[in-house]
Each structure stands twice: as C-alpha cells, then as structure tokens.
Amino acid sequence: MIKIRRKIPAEKIKLLIFDLDGTLVDSKLDLAHAVNAMLRHYSRPELPVDVIGTYIGDGAPMLIRRALGDPRDGHHLQEALNYFMLYYREHKLDNTYAYRGVAEMLRAVRDSRDLKMAVLTNKPVRPSRDIVAGLGLGEFFAQNYGGNSFETKKPDPLGAQKLLEEFGAQPDEAVMIGDSSNDVLTATNSGMWSLGVTYGFAPQTLEQVPPDVLVDRPEEIAEALGARVHAAAEVPAREGFTG
C-alpha cells in the first residue's frame, strides 16, 4: 500500500538515491554472523540476530560500538571493528539477497524514463559495491558511495549533495529512498524528496520521521515514481529472492 504525505512530481525527477541495507538487500543475517564472530573472538556472549538488526544503519563503527555495549577503550573498539570488517568481507554474500521485486523495480524505473540512480549507504563503500555487483544490481547504478566515502554519514547531507552535484540535479529533482529515519532526514537536510519502505530494518523510525511517500513493497517504489512493474513481481518483499 502506498501512503502519500506529499506527492512526488515523478515527471520532474532526474536522480534516485537508494539506501542499501533494508532497502535493496536483506543483509541482516550476514552482518549478525560477523558481529557474533567478533564477540566470540573476544570471549563475549553472542547476541540475537534481531537485536543486532536494531543496531544496523549508522555505519560499521557504530554497529560494533553498540554490540560491545559502548566501550570506553578506543583501542579495543578499533581492534574489534577491524576483526569484524575482515570477517564480514569474506562472508558478506553468504546469506545476503536482494528483496524480491527489487531488480524488477529498478528495471521498470530505468526503462520508464531517462534518470540516474545511485546508492548512498552508511555501510563501508567496499563491501557495499561488492554486494551490489555480486547480486547483479550493478547495471542499474551510476554511482555507489559508502559510509567512509565522506567525512560524515547520513543523515548529514554531504553525500547526497555530492551526488546532486555529480549528476547535475537540483534537490527538488531528486528522491532519497530508504528504510529508516536516517534516509528521510538526509532528504530533508538536502532539500530532496523522501520515499520510505516499511519492509526494511527500521520501519518504526519512519513513524517518528515520516517520509513524503511510504510504501510496503519494492514494486510500489516504481509505481510512486510513475513506472509499472510486471504483475509477476508483485509479491511481498520478504517472501524470497530476486531472480
């Protein structure tokens, strides 16, 4: 179901900026496994996957800080982050998959009109690009920036502003699409339109910071932007894998 607070002028849009985790892909299990591998390494008790899921969205350093209970020892925190990243780089695609309907949605939007698409995530850029490529989504995106691509992360507008400049789009000609308040606030801080998805990791934050448009399924992203996905793709996002 599509809920509209402010209608996005689809015919005017030139740039779509997508969050990655919880928006395009379900990476929760691989992230949780990497966090728990780090915890085991330091003889700490493992955490439930759903608990770790609530820690995702603000970048790897914050994920590890939360998993360790906000330690004061900065050296230990950096060591733990390094261990996590080494493990995650090797296992980032063990269980991660694109939500059902995402590839069809991206294709429908791309084929409907001439616009650019990019990824802006708080995940470090190297695994972000590897995941997009590994899941066969690379063809859709002209750029992919991560949480370590700039001095600041979402919801700071720096990354979004860089993409606007790079693709020659005005803020009111761009849409930020994501599953959390970070993405909505990034759009607000950049002057862009916002589109939230409820099937991701942090739908509760979208109640606190509502986007211009809220959707329940990937194909509804295309619909909200004036494109149409083939009926075969119209199934709930959590039911399986993208082909």
Side-chain angles (χ1 to χ4, degrees), residues 115 144 172 178 202 207:
L115 51 70
N144 186 329
D172 63 352
E207 297 175 6

XYZ file of all heavy atoms in Angstrom, residues 115 144 172 178 202 207:
42
model
N 16.634 8.785 -16.261
C 17.094 9.330 -14.984
C 18.262 8.493 -14.481
O 18.518 7.394 -14.956
C 15.973 9.403 -13.950
C 15.095 8.186 -13.655
C 15.839 7.087 -12.921
C 13.899 8.619 -12.835
N 28.036 4.576 -6.421
C 27.779 3.883 -5.162
C 28.744 4.425 -4.121
O 29.949 4.185 -4.189
C 27.986 2.377 -5.353
C 27.602 1.551 -4.128
O 27.710 2.015 -2.997
N 27.182 0.321 -4.355
N 15.159 19.446 -5.611
C 13.758 19.089 -5.838
C 13.576 18.213 -7.076
O 12.444 17.884 -7.445
C 12.882 20.337 -5.932
C 13.235 21.227 -7.112
O 14.262 20.979 -7.789
O 12.484 22.189 -7.368
N 14.743 4.952 1.273
C 15.357 4.139 2.310
C 14.362 3.631 3.328
O 13.167 3.919 3.268
N 14.255 -0.852 9.896
C 13.856 0.136 10.906
C 12.568 0.863 10.555
O 12.512 2.093 10.572
C 14.998 1.140 11.110
N 7.815 6.081 11.491
C 6.641 6.629 12.173
C 7.017 7.920 12.891
O 6.226 8.857 12.972
C 6.099 5.608 13.170
C 5.603 4.320 12.530
C 5.190 3.293 13.567
O 5.194 3.638 14.769
O 4.864 2.157 13.172
